[in-house]
Amino acid sequence: MPSRRPVALLAVLVGLFQLLIGLVAWRSYRIGSWDLTLFDTIVRAYAHFRAPIEPALGTHLGVGPDLNAFGDHFSPILALLAPLYWVYADPRMLILAQALLVAVSTAVTWRIAERAMGPAVAYAVALGFGLAWPLQEASLTGFHESLFVAPLLLLAFERLQAGRPGQAALWAAALVTVKEDMGLLTAFFGLLLVVRRERRLGAALAVFGLAMFWFTSSVVVPHYWGHGSPDGDYYRALKDALPNPADTFDVVLRPVQKEQTLGWLLLPWAFLPLLSSAVLVVLPQVGERFASSNPNHWGLMQHYNAVLLPAIVVAGVETARRMPRAMQAVWAVWVVVAAVWLTGRHPGSLLWDGDSWKVDARERAAASAVAAVPHGVTVEADNEIGPHLARHDTVLLLDRTPRDAPWVVVDTGVPSFPVDSLAAQRQRVVDLVARGYALVLDNGQYAVLHRP
């Protein structure tokens, strides 16, 4: 049996690579309260054995500061991160947690590829996975619960490959704790088991996944939300198009950005995943995203594509396994070359950009704004400032509706989500001063105000 030390070293290195992307994004104020502060609030509550109440999300959505996180998404798996906050209660621990998830997933990927094609190819595949651009994009956002899918799904595939379908089903069943829509992923893994002649087990897993999808999305989330549907109707266009097959096709595959996303997902693996039944597992997530009317769901940025990566990699390995040794070697080289090349087009390139390691004037201005807010207060903060205040303060997201928080931090330098209007942001400062707020700091990039 090959030594596990090189595998562990590779896993640590790719985990460090992803961690550095996240920390550079943190230091340069690229990571927003939406989503990092939201997850910080949840994990912080679990660490103190409290209900995961999200004042920032509930206030922003207009349902009140006592919104339970289960009213937004069913993600009990986040409770596993509570011990990290016993060590150091800081949002950067979530960036570390995500890097650890990538490291573990890389080691499991190596095992799957090693069993299929030997250690040499396995190192290439594991490196290609660890450097994959969807993981880099996820690291740039700081943290998202969807990254739990990677180790869970890869462990399910590994156990299936090892001839332990029952254990594979247990790992796949655990996906339902990540998010309410992951029940569909569980169900399609059950379908894969059926295709691979584990019919009774696969059918049971598919039924379980569908049942949990219905229960969590139709019962649990609406119960904790308590105000109707928690999401906008992103699928109205699809519902309207369903009677006409041509219109349905157009909704799912247009604009062309959707097809381009699929191409960029498959290109690093030489499109081999299309020749394996394992790719069936990605269909629910692809369908859910491409049927959505939200453009954020279609493209290359954020965390969305990281969910698809495990099944795509396994499908590529299963197809390559059937090729001659020489072709396997060529494919392995391509996987590494493509991963490195694409890193230059994605957030990994930040690590060798000298400017990424310099503190510019705007970052100094952001740091001074953070320093101007005292600990232990409620602060309505700009999206990029919020995570840096979350360790010591109760943070609300600065949006278009004033929340009368005693402290307010406004970006006066560039348009910032969710206001997205520099004129409106600057007018907010004028309005707050008119209402009696004192201007504590105005450094040309950020204004900090306090209500005496």
Side-chain angles (χ1 to χ4, degrees), residues 58-74:
T59 301
H60 174 66
L61 297 179
V63 299
D66 59 348
L67 175 67
N68 190 299
F70 283 3
D72 181 39
H73 293 301
F74 179 76

Side-chain angles (χ1 to χ4, degrees), residues 288-310:
E288 182 181 358
R289 287 176 56 198
F290 287 5
S292 169
S293 59
N294 184 349
N296 289 327
H297 295 163
W298 309 336
L300 306 185
M301 299 176 67
Q302 302 187 49
H303 60 276
Y304 300 105
N305 294 295
V307 177
L308 308 177
L309 185 62

Side-chain angles (χ1 to χ4, degrees), residues 133 256-271 290 300 342:
W133 67 261
V256 71
Q257 182 183 11
K258 299 176 182 179
E259 299 172 21
Q260 291 170 343
T261 296
L262 285 178
W264 285 115
L265 281 165
L266 294 169
L267 176 65
W269 311 97
F271 294 90
F290 287 5
L300 306 185
L342 287 172

Side-chain angles (χ1 to χ4, degrees), residues 33-51:
S33 284
W34 204 283
D35 293 311
L36 188 59
T37 298
L38 303 183
F39 288 118
D40 170 77
T41 302
I42 295 171
V43 177
R44 192 177 298 273
Y46 284 138
H48 290 87
F49 303 99
R50 299 194 303 258

Side-chain angles (χ1 to χ4, degrees), residues 2 25 57 89 98 101 122 158 165 197 205-206 214 258 377 414 417:
L57 180 65
Q98 184 160 289
L101 292 174
E158 189 278 329
R197 300 183 181 180
L205 184 63
W214 172 84
K258 299 176 182 179
V377 301
V414 298
F417 171 86

Side-chain angles (χ1 to χ4, degrees), residues 78 81 172 206 230 254 263 282 297 303:
L78 290 172
L81 300 180
R254 298 291 183 272
V282 309
H297 295 163
H303 60 276

Side-chain angles (χ1 to χ4, degrees), residues 141-155:
T141 68
F143 175 83
H144 199 276
E145 83 256 284
S146 296
L147 268 292
F148 273 103
V149 168
L152 292 176
L153 188 54
L154 285 166
L155 284 165

Side-chain angles (χ1 to χ4, degrees), residues 10-23 99-100 103 351:
L10 176 61
V12 168
L13 289 176
V14 298
L16 181 61
F17 172 73
Q18 300 293 345
L19 175 62
L20 287 175
I21 293 174
L23 291 179
L100 291 173
L351 302 186

